[in-house]
Amino acid sequence: MPPILEVRGLKVRFDGEAGPVRVVRGVSFALERGRTLGIVGESGSGKSVTSLAVMRLLPKPAGVVENGEVLLEGRDLAKLPAREMAKVRGRRVSMIFQEPMTALNPVQTVRRQLAESYELHHPDMTTAQVAEASLKMLQEVGIPDPGKRLDEYPHQLSGGMRQRVMIAIALACRPDVLIADEPTTALDVTIQAQILKLIKRLQKENGMAVVFITHDLGVIAELCDEVVVMYAGQIVERAPAAELYRAPKHPYTRGLLDSIPRLDSVRKTRLPTIEGMVPDFADLPAGCAFQNRCPLAADECRAAPPELQAVAADRATRCVRWKELA
């Protein structure tokens, strides 16, 4: 099956007072209809910037796509005129943002914010049809007493309900691709489980492709078919989800997995951590970006940046010493 969304060699920089800084450095991935791709990594790894570049929502004028293609069924979104991209955004490709309290408009009701999607992408709908569709969307995402919630403002809703409103807005026009940028980060585990179940159900019903961005590998295990691990603006590993957990092929991935609490661990055992910090994008090391934190780092890792190399038919890693992880 051909991919519905394909990102090729995406490079993004931010221009600031100290000069240009490249924060996404040649990211490529593909996603088929009906499947879920997880993008995982620490804060500052480039996950959210990648998603904003796909949506053409980078802050201007600082954010610049230097190179690359974002292909939606072969059509390069990066080269579309702004007016054409506005027709795609929300209709063909939609996004759930990290923090609903800042993504939702605080001075507009839920009804008004939901209606905007229908008015923009379905201008032939009557006011009554828009009202009916908005009510149905809130019912679909499991908001209690949806008729009442339509006329409330974001601050009147709980965190879980605000997130469900964001999902309702994102799914209102039944997009082909949904990008979910850490949609459950600020929610308690009960609401998080409900949101993940909701996304899976709506994906199955609508056949959409999902890009799920998170730092939570537990969420990735539950939701995703394939995973890409990002570090310092690059993909350092790509694998089917089950294979990634069974046998990671990059020391960074191994470090992330080892830091997850396990039920079979000895009580009060100290969790392993990845020492150090993500490097400054303005001052990346000459070789592998992970070298200063990597337990396997050697002279060859410091000599030159490693390439993303295939290690199996559906797996790749950016590590020259990956065999030592076996």
Side-chain angles (χ1 to χ4, degrees), residues 23-57:
V23 295
V24 175
R25 305 184 294 139
V27 167
S28 300
F29 59 82
L31 180 61
E32 297 177 2
R33 189 180 291 275
R35 292 179 65 81
T36 301
L37 173 72
I39 302 180
V40 66
E42 293 170 281
S43 297
S45 60
K47 309 183 304 296
S48 295
V49 174
T50 298
S51 67
L52 291 173
V54 170
M55 294 292 293
R56 297 262 302 269
L57 291 174

Side-chain angles (χ1 to χ4, degrees), residues 302-324:
R302 302 179 183 95
E307 297 294 327
L308 189 65
Q309 58 178 311
V311 296
D314 53 359
R315 300 202 61 174
T317 184
R318 195 180 296 274
C319 181
V320 296
R321 307 190 70 190
W322 63 271
K323 292 181 181 179
E324 297 180 38

Side-chain angles (χ1 to χ4, degrees), residues 241-252:
E243 290 296 307
L244 186 88
Y245 285 82
R246 185 184 64 80
K249 301 298 184 186
H250 194 282
Y252 179 59

Side-chain angles (χ1 to χ4, degrees), residues 230-303:
M230 288 190 67
Y231 185 80
Q234 292 181 317
I235 292 175
V236 296
E237 183 166 3
R238 182 180 67 241
E243 290 296 307
L244 186 88
Y245 285 82
R246 185 184 64 80
K249 301 298 184 186
H250 194 282
Y252 179 59
T253 310
R254 166 59 71 191
L256 293 176
L257 290 171
D258 286 346
S259 67
I260 300 175
R262 298 174 58 94
L263 291 176
D264 57 359
S265 298
V266 178
R267 290 185 64 189
K268 297 185 179 180
T269 299
R270 184 182 294 273
L271 283 174
T273 60
I274 303 175
E275 298 296 332
M277 300 288 291
V278 177
D280 186 343
F281 281 105
D283 188 27
L284 292 173
C288 174
F290 189 59
Q291 61 174 272
N292 64 323
R293 308 174 72 189
C294 180
L296 301 179
D299 289 343
E300 60 184 327
C301 305
R302 302 179 183 95

Side-chain angles (χ1 to χ4, degrees), residues 9 32-33 35 37 43 52 60 73 92 109 121 152 156 169 180 185 201 204 206 211 218 269 314 316-318 321:
E32 297 177 2
R33 189 180 291 275
R35 292 179 65 81
L37 173 72
S43 297
L52 291 173
K60 297 295 183 183
E73 294 186 323
R92 300 291 312 281
T109 63
H121 298 294
E152 292 186 338
Q156 296 176 281
I169 293 171
T185 297
R201 176 175 66 81
K204 184 177 180 180
N206 301 327
V211 177
T269 299
D314 53 359
T317 184
R318 195 180 296 274
R321 307 190 70 190

Side-chain angles (χ1 to χ4, degrees), residues 77-259:
L77 302 184
K79 293 181 172 61
L80 284 184
R83 186 181 295 273
E84 289 300 310
M85 186 62 201
K87 296 177 182 178
V88 171
R89 193 185 298 118
R91 179 67 184 90
R92 300 291 312 281
V93 184
S94 198
M95 186 169 179
I96 304 170
F97 296 92
Q98 278 192 37
E99 176 46 63
M101 198 60 202
T102 56
L104 294 172
N105 190 325
V107 297
Q108 289 189 347
T109 63
V110 171
R111 181 189 300 276
R112 178 86 291 275
Q113 296 184 64
L114 260 170
E116 284 181 339
S117 295
Y118 296 112
E119 292 168 357
L120 177 62
H121 298 294
H122 298 285
D124 56 324
M125 292 179 68
T126 65
T127 302
Q129 288 172 328
V130 168
E132 182 181 355
S134 298
L135 179 64
K136 185 178 179 181
M137 275 309 308
L138 290 192
Q139 291 171 337
E140 280 195 45
V141 299
I143 288 183
D145 198 1
K148 176 184 176 183
R149 304 304 177 192
L150 274 173
D151 294 311
E152 292 186 338
Y153 292 86
H155 72 273
Q156 296 176 281
L157 307 177
S158 68
M161 282 199 286
R162 284 196 295 266
Q163 197 63 279
R164 287 170 186 260
V165 169
M166 278 293 304
I167 293 173
I169 293 171
L171 297 177
C173 295
R174 297 295 191 262
D176 298 306
V177 179
L178 174 68
I179 300 174
D181 187 4
E182 303 201 35
T184 61
T185 297
L187 305 180
D188 62 63
V189 291
T190 303
I191 300 299
Q192 175 177 280
Q194 293 173 359
I195 295 295
L196 296 180
K197 184 178 180 181
L198 170 65
I199 291 175
K200 287 195 289 187
R201 176 175 66 81
L202 295 177
Q203 179 185 28
K204 184 177 180 180
E205 291 174 359
N206 301 327
M208 66 185 174
V210 176
V211 177
F212 199 94
I213 299 169
T214 184
H215 60 268
D216 189 335
L217 281 162
V219 171
I220 290 287
E222 181 177 346
L223 199 65
C224 299
D225 302 298
E226 188 178 11
V227 185
V228 297
V229 182
M230 288 190 67
Y231 185 80
Q234 292 181 317
I235 292 175
V236 296
E237 183 166 3
R238 182 180 67 241
E243 290 296 307
L244 186 88
Y245 285 82
R246 185 184 64 80
K249 301 298 184 186
H250 194 282
Y252 179 59
T253 310
R254 166 59 71 191
L256 293 176
L257 290 171
D258 286 346
S259 67

